């Protein structure tokens, strides 16, 4: 299992700095994530937390963190050839 030390208070930019490839994967999952690839999106990620994004996405912070954690684990498994 991957080390995913984030919680609902984590600024979104910290997650994207740790996993920059998410900016390619997440917009495919949900088009609302495409904003993260814009200048305004980067500003919003610095200001907003996981809890803020969960409100926009329409599900709990725990569910959002779980989705992110699973994407990270999938990516790491693919990178190591185990997926």
């Amino acid at each position: 299992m991957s080390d995913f030390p984030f919680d609902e208070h984590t600024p979104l930019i910290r997650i994207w700095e740790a996993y920059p490839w998410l900016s390619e994967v997440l917009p495919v999952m949900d088009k609302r994530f495409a904003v993260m690839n814009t200048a305004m999106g980067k500003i919003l990620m610095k200001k907003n937390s996981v809890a803020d994004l969960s409100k926009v996405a329409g599900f709990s912070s725990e569910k959002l963190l779980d989705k992110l954690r699973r994407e990270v684990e999938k990516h790491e498994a693919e990178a190591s050839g185990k997926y």
Side-chain angles (χ1 to χ4, degrees), residues 62-74:
E62 293 80 20
K63 185 172 180 179
L64 177 58
L65 287 165
D66 185 56
K67 284 179 176 280
L68 292 172
R69 184 179 301 109
R70 283 187 277 140
E71 282 300 317
V72 168
E73 289 172 355
K74 178 181 171 186

Side-chain angles (χ1 to χ4, degrees), residues 33-45:
F33 286 119
V35 71
M36 67 191 290
N37 293 316
T38 66
M40 181 56 82
K42 302 280 190 255
I43 292 169
L44 291 172
M45 285 194 302

Side-chain angles (χ1 to χ4, degrees), residues 12 16 33 48-59 64 68:
L12 294 170
W16 275 266
F33 286 119
N48 293 314
S49 68
V50 170
D52 297 320
L53 180 58
S54 73
K55 291 175 189 171
V56 172
F59 42 81
L64 177 58
L68 292 172

